[in-house]
Amino acid sequence: MASAVLEKILSDRIGRIEISQTLAVVNEAAKLKADGIDLADYGAGEPHFATPRHIKDAAIKAIEANFTRYTGVAGIPELRRAIVERHATDFGSNYAPEEAMCSAGGKLALFNAFQVLIDHGDEVILPVPYWTSFKDIIQYAGGKPVLLYTSEEDGFKLRAAMVEKAITDRTKAIVVNTPCNPSGAVVPREELEAIAEIAHKRGIYLLSDECYVYLDYTGKRYSAGGFTKYKDHILLLGSLSKTYAMTGWRVGSAIGPKPIIDAMSKLQSQSTSNTNSIAQKASVAALNSSQDCVEEMRKDYINLRDHVLRRLGEIDGITCVKPEGAFYVYSNVSKFFGRHGMNSSADVAKKLLHEAHVVTVPGEAFGTKEHIRISYAVSREEIDKGLDRMKKFFSSI
Ligand code: PLP
């Protein structure tokens, strides 16, 4: 259909956002795969591990017990309790089950949060590089993302002083994603606490995306939820996707002030209603059982990170900040601009895909033009396969 016709049909709202750029890359790679091309795939942001056995067993048990009906919108009571208890044990937070809810993925929890907090023209401080969906979700809610550029020389670290400077009369919220997708940067504990204090003092909300909080390689895992004196202005958005290798199950969580959780639940009651009942039972098992599986995966990711950094180090011209968490390396490829028809990271990612058959995500999706994101949540063999290809590609241009 011609775009002029579509403009009349579709709402202004939907025109404010774009299809998730990481998913766009996945789609393009899928077309090549369908043509039989063997790709080294570092595009998707998801664990290569299988969901642990005991979590799958809990789901099977739920099906056998016919736990297959609607549940309360915010989640079954035992899951809401498991969410806050896990968080209290791991991070010293202090929430009641009514201050927590589950959604069909962390992305929906975030989407709901912005919908209930943001009015037209409200500003949301968004550190760069950012996970691609934040910008669109904020815009869809009518908000204005205020980009806050972190410095590569400082390891992409978010500092409280930068946040303070970016606050205006229209600021409603600040997004913090630590460890960060795509940079792997971890916000230092004292900076995170200072940001929570600023939010509290200025009456704005700290939206802390904890999707990768268990994939922290510094060994000093912490959460904004541990700064209990500022809890009125903190909303914690979590996900079981990466922590327990459960991306397809679609379970995310929100923990925060009850009025916000109630509003998010009200909104969710008019969209998806409850999260899949079977996935909820599996999530209770994930949160309440031994966390050894999380630690095992974390250790494997550290080895994979070190391996991919070693291999990237063999390629002259690529530089990387050492990631402290998550499972991405945000590699600076700007030294190659001006060569082989490449003038942006989008060009580099495209050439890598079509000429070297390596899937990466261009930095444009995350707010910078000099980088490509490499997801190392793959096997060591897959790292070697793609890095051999990349080395050959970059040394030949
Ligand atoms: N937050 C960040 C930073 C992410 O990278 C992702 C997924 O890639 C999510 C939230 C949402 O994850 P999910 O919807 O699978 O829970």
Side-chain angles (χ1 to χ4, degrees):
M1 211 178 287
S3 65
V5 177
L6 269 180
E7 261 169 39
K8 283 196 187 136
I9 297 171
L10 302 177
S11 68
D12 290 346
R13 242 180 3 267
I14 193 66
R16 286 202 291 266
I17 65 170
E18 290 165 19
I19 183 177
S20 164
Q21 292 190 50
T22 38
L23 292 181
V25 173
V26 172
N27 291 345
E28 199 171 338
K31 276 189 218 151
L32 294 184
K33 270 188 199 160
D35 289 342
I37 294 173
D38 167 48
L39 299 174
D41 194 346
Y42 309 141
E46 65 178 334
H48 58 306
F49 299 111
T51 304
R53 185 72 254 170
H54 65 285
I55 301 176
K56 293 195 281 199
D57 285 344
I60 293 165
K61 205 169 146 201
I63 295 173
E64 297 296 356
N66 294 318
F67 194 75
T68 51
R69 299 190 160 194
Y70 292 133
T71 74
V73 171
I76 52 176
E78 58 179 320
L79 178 54
R80 296 175 82 183
R81 200 174 326 113
I83 290 168
V84 295
E85 285 178 358
R86 176 85 271 140
H87 207 275
T89 303
D90 294 343
F91 303 112
S93 60
N94 172 22
Y95 291 96
E98 301 72 46
E99 293 171 300
M101 68 179 288
C102 74
S103 296
K107 200 182 249 188
L108 183 62
L110 275 160
F111 187 89
N112 289 340
F114 283 112
Q115 287 294 329
V116 307
L117 286 174
I118 301 302
D119 270 323
H120 279 269
D122 283 347
E123 292 179 0
V124 180
I125 299 172
L126 181 59
V128 183
Y130 49 77
W131 175 50
T132 189
S133 291
F134 287 132
K135 189 157 80 48
D136 295 280
I137 292 175
I138 293 165
Q139 285 170 345
Y140 194 72
K144 181 174 164 227
V146 174
L147 303 184
L148 192 57
Y149 287 85
T150 58
S151 127
E152 190 160 2
E153 289 71 49
D154 191 25
F156 295 116
K157 290 210 183 304
L158 179 65
R159 305 271 172 198
M162 300 161 61
V163 173
E164 182 105 62
K165 272 196 217 138
I167 294 176
T168 72
D169 290 348
R170 292 301 321 249
T171 307
K172 185 74 188 277
I174 148 98
V175 174
V176 173
N177 172 217
T178 179
C180 170
N181 173 7
S183 69
V186 169
V187 179
R189 187 187 179 101
E190 61 284 4
E191 299 287 343
L192 187 60
E193 182 160 15
I195 294 168
E197 186 182 358
I198 291 168
H200 186 69
K201 276 198 184 139
R202 304 290 292 260
I204 63 175
Y205 292 90
L206 166 55
L207 266 60
S208 187
D209 180 331
E210 305 199 327
C211 188
Y212 299 95
V213 76
Y214 289 98
L215 301 183
D216 182 321
Y217 310 134
T218 65
K220 296 179 233 141
R221 180 178 80 186
Y222 42 85
S223 155
F227 310 130
T228 50
K229 56 186 167 178
Y230 308 127
K231 71 187 274 196
D232 285 356
H233 292 95
I234 295 173
L235 188 61
L236 308 168
L237 288 321
S239 170
L240 276 75
S241 287
K242 326 279 171 162
T243 314
Y244 300 102
M246 286 177 72
T247 45
W249 298 71
R250 311 308 301 131
V251 187
S253 65
I255 311 177
K258 190 168 179 302
I260 300 178
I261 297 297
D262 286 347
M264 289 168 64
S265 181
K266 179 166 80 170
L267 176 62
Q268 189 165 290
S269 79
Q270 300 296 1
S271 60
T272 62
S273 296
N274 62 272
T275 306
N276 175 305
S277 60
I278 300 150
Q280 286 193 59
K281 282 285 190 185
S283 300
V284 171
L287 295 166
N288 285 351
S289 308
S290 156
Q291 300 297 293
D292 288 354
C293 57
V294 178
E295 186 53 19
E296 276 164 29
M297 290 190 270
R298 194 181 73 93
K299 281 190 186 142
D300 278 344
Y301 287 129
I302 294 176
N303 288 333
L304 291 169
R305 174 199 62 178
D306 294 344
H307 187 58
V308 78
L309 286 177
R310 238 184 340 264
R311 295 295 325 259
L312 281 164
E314 293 169 11
I315 304 176
D316 266 353
I318 293 190
T319 55
C320 322
V321 168
K322 184 175 181 179
E324 296 182 319
F327 39 61
Y328 309 102
V329 190
Y330 207 47
S331 313
N332 190 314
V333 290
S334 59
K335 289 243 170 67
F336 297 99
F337 293 176
R339 282 154 68 174
H340 197 54
M342 301 189 297
N343 294 304
S344 65
S345 59
D347 294 340
V348 174
K350 220 175 196 128
K351 296 268 184 195
L352 277 175
L353 178 61
H354 291 281
E355 295 179 22
H357 297 158
V358 174
V359 187
T360 60
V361 183
E364 279 87 346
F366 311 105
T368 74
K369 288 196 182 68
E370 299 83 16
H371 307 86
I372 52 170
R373 189 191 77 174
I374 293 171
S375 169
Y376 56 84
V378 295
S379 67
R380 218 179 148 92
E381 294 70 42
E382 191 74 3
I383 289 178
D384 284 331
K385 178 167 98 178
L387 265 292
D388 286 347
R389 292 177 185 183
M390 284 175 69
K391 196 171 163 183
K392 197 165 154 210
F393 171 80
F394 284 116
S395 61
S396 71
I397 59 170

